[in-house]
Each structure stands twice: as structure tokens, then as C-alpha cells.
């Protein structure tokens, strides 16, 4: 009986250890799978501009008699595809560093009202070029503790998307206000909007509702995942809202932080 009990006990311990080990492995397996998917997607995305560069350069070599004017389309494609690669590599590096927890925020007191005005001014020329109205409705003195460069990047991503996905004649509104303990800002557009079933995936890496439309506009599907990472690093929240055909709104809330309280 004692021996039987011991065997049963041992079996129970082994089963429990196996179960616990298996459970501990689940997050590791998930992280490994996520990493593998990231590498596969990144390789796939890098291959397409490289193919464009390679094939256009080869075709140019086959026709040494052609003038620069005659080859201007190919040259433009090479330039466009290499800028796409540069942008893609910069985004991949940002995300790889974020995965390795290798990025530290350079915290200072940031005047978000000024930053929003500054970034919006950079987009002003697009108002005429794309015939899209850009409205800025931000209260002054929105100060928080944050990384100015990253917050700049966040605003550029949101505004860049708003211009990318809003057709001529549309309107983009950037708003900023003070909450209780947070600073709230949003970028709203009157563009194509996002399908409700896609809203939960919009911040996933390489997610694009319409790959060809995004690609035509120079999109790579990493902007919003970087935006989310920046907001997460500031202990904030970013949400996407949309009614298809009625535009999209991205809302960000960031706690003002210690420095603000002190000041
Ligand atoms: P992309 O480089 O493709 O724009 P993002 O990560 O910035 O990548 O955005 C992911 C996807 O979210 C886009 O491909 C697009 O389908 C959708 N999206 C982002 N912003 C908007 C917007 N303002 N209006 C409509 N769709 C948007």
C-alpha cells in the first residue's frame, strides 16, 4: 500500500511539474512565434522594394544607349523604392529596440501645445497640395513630462496617416485639451475610415486594411504599432474610432507626470 501510495504521489508530482513547465512555456512559445512572424513579415516587406530596385537597374544596364531622360521612370522608381526601404529599416530598428527594451526615454518637460503647432505647420503645404483642410484646436500650455522626439514622431505618424487616408476636399482636425491628470489629444479626419472588424488589429505590426492602397501611399503597416509603443512608454492610452466612410479618429491620453505636478 505504501509503495502504491508513493508511486501515485510521484506520478502526481511528475504530472504537476509537467503541467507547470508546459504552462510556463506558453508565453515563451508565443513570444518566439511572434518574433518569427516579425522576421518573416519584415523579410517579405524588404524583398519587394529590393526586387523593384534590382529589376529596374538590370533593365537600365541592358540599354546603355538610353539617355537619363529616357530612363527617368526607372530612376524615379529606384529612388522611391530605396526611400521606402530606408523608412522600413528605420521602423524595424525602432521596433527591434523596443522588443529588446533597449530604448530609454529622454524625459524633459514638453509643451505639447507648441509641439502640435510645430508638427501641424510641417503638414501645412499638404493643405494646398492635397486640398485637405487642416484645423488645429489646441489649448495653450499643455505641459507634460515626456520624450519630445518620440512625441513628435507620434504626431507625425497620426497626421501622416490622416493625410494618407483622406481624399481631396476632406478635413483633418487636431485637438488638444487638459484632462484631470492627463493630457488628451486627438487627430480626426473625414477620410475612408476603418472597418469595425479591423479596429482591434489596427495597432498590430504590418497590419494594413488594404495593402495596395497603403503601399501606393508609401505605407508599410508599422506606423501605428510604433505610435502605440510610444504611447505605452509614456504610460498613456491610444484608441482608434471610426465609422466606415465617416473618417477615423485617433485619441491619445498621456498622464502629465511628476515634473508637471512639481511645477
Ligand atoms: P501604414 O503605413 O499602412 O499607414 P499604419 O500602421 O500607420 O501603417 O496603419 C495601419 C493601417 O491602419 C493602415 O494601412 C490603414 O489601413 C489603417 N489606418 C491608419 N490610419 C488611418 C486613418 N486615419 N484612416 C483610415 N485608415 C487608417
Amino acid at each position: 500500500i505504501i509503495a502504491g501510495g508513493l508511486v501515485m504521489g510521484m506520478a502526481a508530482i511528475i504530472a504537476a511539474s509537467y503541467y507547470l513547465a508546459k504552462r510556463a512555456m506558453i508565453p515563451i512559445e508565443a513570444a518566439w512565434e511572434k518574433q518569427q512572424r516579425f522576421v518573416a513579415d519584415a523579410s517579405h516587406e524588404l524583398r519587394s522594394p529590393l526586387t523593384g530596385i534590382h529589376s529596374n537597374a538590370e533593365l537600365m544596364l541592358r540599354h546603355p544607349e538610353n539617355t537619363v531622360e529616357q530612363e527617368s521612370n526607372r530612376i524615379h522608381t529606384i529612388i522611391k523604392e530605396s526611400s521606402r526601404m530606408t523608412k522600413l529599416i528605420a521602423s524595424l530598428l525602432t521596433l527591434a529596440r523596443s522588443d529588446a527594451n533597449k530604448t530609454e526615454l529622454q524625459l524633459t518637460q514638453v509643451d505639447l501645445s507648441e509641439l502640435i503647432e510645430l508638427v501641424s505647420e510641417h503638414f501645412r503645404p499638404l493643405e494646398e497640395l492635397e486640398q485637405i483642410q487642416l484645423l488645429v484646436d489646441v489649448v495653450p500650455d499643455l505641459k507634460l513630462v515626456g520624450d519630445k522626439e518620440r512625441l513628435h514622431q507620434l504626431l507625425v505618424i497620426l497626421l501622416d496617416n490622416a493625410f494618407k487616408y483622406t481624399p481631396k476636399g476632406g478635413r483633418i482636425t487636431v485637438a488638444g485639451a487638459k484632462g484631470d491628470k492627463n493630457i488628451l489629444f486627438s487627430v480626426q479626419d473625414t477620410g475612408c475610415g476603418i472597418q469595425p472588424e479591423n479596429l482591434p488589429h489596427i495597432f498590430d505590426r504590418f497590419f494594413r486594411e488594404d495593402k495596395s492602397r497603403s503601399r501606393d501611399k508609401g505605407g508599410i503597416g508599422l506606423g501605428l504599432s510604433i505610435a502605440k509603443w510610444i504611447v505605452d512608454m509614456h504610460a498613456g492610452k491610444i484608441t482608434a474610432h471610426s465609422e466606415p466612410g465617416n473618417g477615423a479618429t485617433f485619441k491619445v491620453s498621456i498622464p502629465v507626470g511628476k515634473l508637471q505636478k512639481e511645477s
Side-chain angles (χ1 to χ4, degrees):
I1 289 171
I2 292 170
L6 269 174
V7 170
M8 296 255 292
M10 289 287 283
I13 290 168
I14 290 167
S17 321
Y18 176 76
Y19 171 75
L20 287 174
K22 188 91 183 135
R23 243 181 66 155
M25 289 295 285
I26 290 171
I28 299 170
E29 274 169 20
W32 174 243
E33 264 170 35
K34 190 179 152 201
Q35 205 59 32
Q36 274 186 319
R37 203 168 46 242
F38 181 51
V39 172
D41 287 343
S43 316
H44 178 78
E45 290 299 324
L46 279 167
R47 196 176 301 138
S48 107
L50 262 179
T51 309
I53 293 169
H54 188 98
S55 54
N56 278 287
E58 277 223 333
L59 285 170
M60 276 163 64
L61 270 181
R62 274 193 207 171
H63 299 281
E65 72 285 1
N66 280 358
T67 61
V68 171
E69 280 78 30
Q70 283 170 315
E71 294 292 10
S72 124
N73 275 348
R74 292 206 175 103
I75 296 171
H76 275 115
T77 307
I78 290 177
I79 294 173
K80 200 175 113 201
E81 293 298 313
S82 40
S83 341
R84 197 177 145 74
M85 267 185 77
T86 310
K87 199 171 139 192
L88 176 57
I89 289 167
S91 300
L92 290 173
L93 275 176
T94 303
L95 288 169
R97 283 203 194 106
S98 81
D99 284 347
N101 288 331
K102 282 213 171 124
T103 325
E104 278 182 21
L105 293 185
Q106 305 294 318
L107 294 179
T108 56
Q109 192 168 29
V110 182
D111 187 330
L112 205 71
S113 316
E114 276 177 10
L115 197 62
I116 292 176
E117 293 287 349
L118 180 91
V119 175
S120 303
E121 279 317 300
H122 289 164
F123 281 88
R124 283 279 170 224
L126 290 184
E127 277 201 297
E128 197 185 323
L129 276 173
E130 308 277 335
Q131 287 165 36
I132 294 171
Q133 196 185 4
L134 174 61
L135 300 173
V136 181
D137 177 16
V138 177
V139 300
D141 223 23
L142 290 177
K143 294 210 178 83
L144 57 82
V145 178
D147 185 318
K148 193 170 177 183
E149 217 166 288
R150 295 289 174 201
L151 292 170
H152 185 284
Q153 191 181 6
L154 166 68
L155 287 163
V156 169
I157 292 169
L158 296 180
L159 270 161
D160 186 50
N161 276 348
F163 274 98
K164 266 195 322 219
Y165 300 109
T166 301
K168 279 191 169 51
R171 195 177 58 244
I172 295 168
T173 312
V174 189
K178 237 177 229 161
D180 229 9
K181 290 177 183 158
N182 300 316
I183 282 178
L184 312 161
F185 66 92
S186 60
V187 178
Q188 181 177 23
D189 63 57
T190 58
C192 59
I194 301 159
Q195 294 299 322
E197 68 272 21
N198 289 329
L199 280 171
H201 309 292
I202 214 80
F203 297 101
D204 293 351
R205 291 175 186 185
F206 296 110
F207 180 84
R208 282 169 288 187
E209 263 201 316
D210 178 342
K211 286 209 175 187
S212 59
R213 184 178 58 189
S214 159
R215 192 183 291 273
D216 280 352
K217 308 259 180 189
I220 43 177
L222 291 178
L224 286 181
S225 44
I226 294 178
K228 179 158 177 8
W229 168 70
I230 294 172
V231 176
D232 285 347
M233 289 284 280
H234 284 82
K237 276 210 172 90
I238 180 166
T239 50
H241 310 259
S242 176
E243 279 165 33
N246 253 341
T249 306
F250 286 85
K251 292 186 184 171
V252 178
S253 152
I254 296 183
V256 286
K258 195 167 164 273
L259 232 165
Q260 169 72 2
K261 275 183 220 149
E262 281 166 2
S263 63

